[in-house]
Amino acid sequence: MVTLNINGRDLQVDADPSTPILWALRDNLNMTGTKFGCGAALCGACTVHLDGNPIRSCITPIASAQGMKITTIEAMENDTVGKAVQDAWVKHDVPQCGYCQSGQVMSAVALLRTNKRPLDADIDNAMSGNICRCGTYQRIRAAIKDAATTLA
Ligand code: FES
Ligand code: FES
């Protein structure tokens, strides 16, 4: 058993310590908001926060998260920054197929926590690891700026 703190709750996970956080979330805890894309830290679909920093949960073992705080997309509707980002996402009609979007939102929230007025270059830099096959990048940029204005 491995104890993980996820969205403010300590949860027991019956999995090998080498199990990636992504699969502990999806398979052990039935938290399916975090997506599997590449499994190799190349696409960002699996992004969650570990002690507030965006990480690729597909390559991060649960052993390395013990004693730390994991935050997932499921917590964003009750989070001030997360809610502002999600509202902006809806307003700007960002999602197309939607598959990459929970990872996009998690990266955007991490950006806005550290940079309240991100410029285009800041956004491109922070979001560069999140791939969208539907090409929603311009809308993501606009939505992040809108969320920043809402939060100001
Ligand atoms: S599934 Fe983790 S980066 Fe692609
Ligand atoms: S919305 Fe389809 S991959 Fe991004």
Side-chain angles (χ1 to χ4, degrees):
M1 280 288 181
V2 175
T3 302
L4 297 176
N5 185 282
I6 301 173
N7 299 336
R9 293 167 58 209
D10 280 338
L11 299 173
Q12 302 290 316
V13 176
D14 185 7
D16 188 274
S18 65
T19 303
I21 293 172
L22 174 66
W23 299 116
L25 291 171
R26 292 185 60 86
D27 289 350
N28 294 81
L29 299 168
N30 201 28
M31 297 173 69
T32 55
T34 305
K35 304 302 185 196
F36 169 72
C38 65
L42 297 171
C43 75
C46 66
T47 304
V48 301
H49 296 175
L50 192 59
D51 278 355
N53 300 309
I55 57 120
R56 306 301 183 231
S57 66
C58 67
I59 58 155
T60 308
I62 55 177
S64 69
Q66 287 185 84
M68 302 176 81
K69 293 182 186 308
I70 298 169
T71 309
T72 73
I73 189 70
E74 283 85 357
M76 289 301 101
E77 65 180 332
N78 295 316
D79 176 280
T80 304
V81 178
K83 180 76 166 60
V85 167
Q86 289 184 322
D87 287 349
W89 247 237
V90 172
K91 178 178 167 186
H92 289 269
D93 240 344
V94 174
Q96 297 301 302
C97 81
Y99 198 82
C100 72
Q101 295 294 330
S102 63
Q104 304 279 6
V105 166
M106 295 308 288
S107 289
V109 169
L111 167 64
L112 288 172
R113 285 205 203 289
T114 57
N115 184 342
K116 300 200 181 316
R117 283 279 171 197
L119 303 174
D120 286 348
D122 301 323
I123 294 171
D124 291 348
N125 187 45
M127 305 300 291
S128 64
N130 289 82
I131 308 299
C132 176
R133 291 189 66 176
C134 301
T136 61
Y137 302 110
Q138 295 304 318
R139 294 181 189 189
I140 285 172
R141 208 192 250 185
I144 289 174
K145 289 181 178 173
D146 206 345
T149 301
T150 300
L151 290 163

